[in-house]
Each structure stands twice: as structure tokens, then as C-alpha cells.
Amino acid sequence: MSQGDTTTGNQTIETSFRVNGDTLPADHGYALYAALAHLPTVGPLLHASEQVAIQLIRGQYAGDGQLKLTSQSRLRVRIPAASLPNILPLAGQSILIVGQTLRIGVPQTSLLRPAVALYAHLVTTRNGQDEARFDAEISNQLEHLGIQGKPTRGKRRIFRVKDKRVVAHSLLVSELTASESIHLQEAGLGGRRKMGCGVFIPWKG
């Protein structure tokens, strides 16, 4: 952020680190969180704060369940603005994810920006394998957050947490006001937000 930006300590910001490496498993949410949580520099923040969300790293699908990292690949972490000093030590670190080394570069920080529609690649709920119960739980969570946007469930997906297979769905929430959009990006939906789930980004269609 520029020096002209004004934030409060509990405002959510997004910190984006350039990453260097060869490939990563496409299903890397749990492994990425575990690797970061073991770092003495940032592990305490990840363990202590429920406001932290870690996005999955994007890349080009290379087949056989692998992503090829590109110059656009980033590690993006959402945190309260007051926690920025606790996440900056990630810069310059190297972590091992399923035997593959990921080097973390210099970060950039930004405020969340509103969008009429937001998309999450993975959203999990209790009993989420039942689509009707998933839809009902999402509606309940949106109502609890005071968000009147329109949820549209997408593809059913499977990812791993340790040795457990977890059912998730992609989710689009549209017809959002600006304030609802920011609130949904801050709060997310469902669980496992530190493993890449329930993290919403602007949908470009």
C-alpha cells in the first residue's frame, strides 16, 4: 500500500508474495498451510488468528495433478492490517511442499476491492457431500452475515487434509452491493480458510 492509504488495525488487507519454483500439486491447500505454520516467523500468527485466509496458488495445469508455476503465480494471504508486521518475514523464506521447494519473494499489499460477483474455488460445510444441505448451510451463513447476494453452487470437488478426503464445491455469489462484497471477502464462507477454502475473489466471468 502507498503511504496515502489509511487502514484500521482490524481492516482486512491482502498480502501478495511472488513465488518461485517449478511445480506444485494442484491439491496443495493443506500442504501449503502446514509448511507455513511450521515456520517460526509466521506460524504463531497462523495458529492464533481466525481472521487469516490463505489462497491457493495459481499456475498452469501440467497434467498428472501438477501445476506449473508462472511469473504470475502468487502466494496471497488475507490478514488484519495490524498483523502485517507478522506476515512480512515470509519474504525470502523457502518452504517444502510435497517434496517441491517454493521460494517466497517480496510482498505487495493491497486493500480488498468490491465486485458485484465473487467466486471461491473450494467451499466446505458440514455434511457438504449432500448438495441440498450444502445449499441450506450456505444460505444460512449468508443470512447470518447480512448478505443478500445470490449463491450459485458449482462443481463438486475433492481435496485432501492429511489422509482424509474432503468434499467441497465451487461457489459463485452474485448481485452483491459494495459493502456486502467486502464483507464476504473478509469473512468467507465455510471452514478451512487457511487451506484455501471459502476465500472469495472478484469474478470476471
Side-chain angles (χ1 to χ4, degrees):
M1 292 180 290
S2 68
Q3 292 182 350
D5 291 326
T6 58
T7 63
T8 60
N10 61 356
Q11 185 173 13
T12 299
I13 61 173
E14 184 163 291
T15 309
S16 171
F17 297 83
R18 184 166 182 170
V19 292
N20 294 292
D22 185 15
T23 60
L24 284 178
D27 182 4
H28 62 263
Y30 172 75
L32 176 60
Y33 167 68
L36 295 174
H38 278 90
L39 293 175
T41 49
V42 299
L45 170 65
L46 300 187
H47 289 299
S49 177
E50 293 302 319
Q51 294 176 271
V52 174
I54 302 172
Q55 295 185 42
L56 297 176
I57 296 172
R58 298 181 184 179
Q60 295 179 345
Y61 187 66
D64 196 27
Q66 297 291 310
L67 291 178
K68 180 175 177 57
L69 298 179
T70 73
S71 61
Q72 301 303 312
S73 296
R74 297 289 186 273
L75 167 61
R76 300 180 188 275
V77 185
R78 290 183 188 170
I79 54 172
S83 297
L84 180 60
N86 302 103
I87 204 72
L88 293 180
L90 268 180
Q93 299 277 349
S94 291
I95 56 177
L96 199 63
I97 300 178
V98 195
Q100 301 177 56
T101 300
L102 187 71
R103 295 177 296 279
I104 303 173
V106 176
Q108 293 182 324
T109 60
S110 61
L111 300 175
L112 300 177
R113 291 181 170 83
V116 174
L118 298 175
Y119 172 80
H121 187 66
L122 297 172
V123 178
T124 64
T125 65
R126 183 174 297 178
N127 300 308
Q129 69 276 8
D130 182 321
E131 293 180 352
R133 295 182 71 170
F134 176 88
D135 292 345
E137 177 61 23
I138 292 301
S139 293
N140 289 338
Q141 290 188 29
L142 288 171
E143 182 178 1
H144 178 73
L145 292 172
I147 294 173
Q148 299 182 18
K150 176 185 175 183
T152 302
R153 172 174 35 82
K155 291 182 179 180
R156 182 179 188 269
R157 305 181 187 276
I158 303 292
F159 69 100
R160 289 189 175 275
V161 176
K162 296 184 179 180
D163 296 325
K164 181 181 179 182
R165 289 164 57 88
V166 179
V167 175
H169 297 274
S170 60
L171 187 67
L172 179 71
V173 183
S174 57
E175 302 177 17
L176 293 164
T177 66
S179 61
E180 288 175 338
S181 180
I182 294 297
H183 191 24
L184 182 54
Q185 291 178 72
E186 291 177 334
L189 294 174
R192 300 183 173 92
R193 296 185 69 229
K194 296 173 186 177
M195 301 177 194
C197 299
V199 185
F200 285 85
I201 62 175
W203 174 249
K204 299 178 181 178

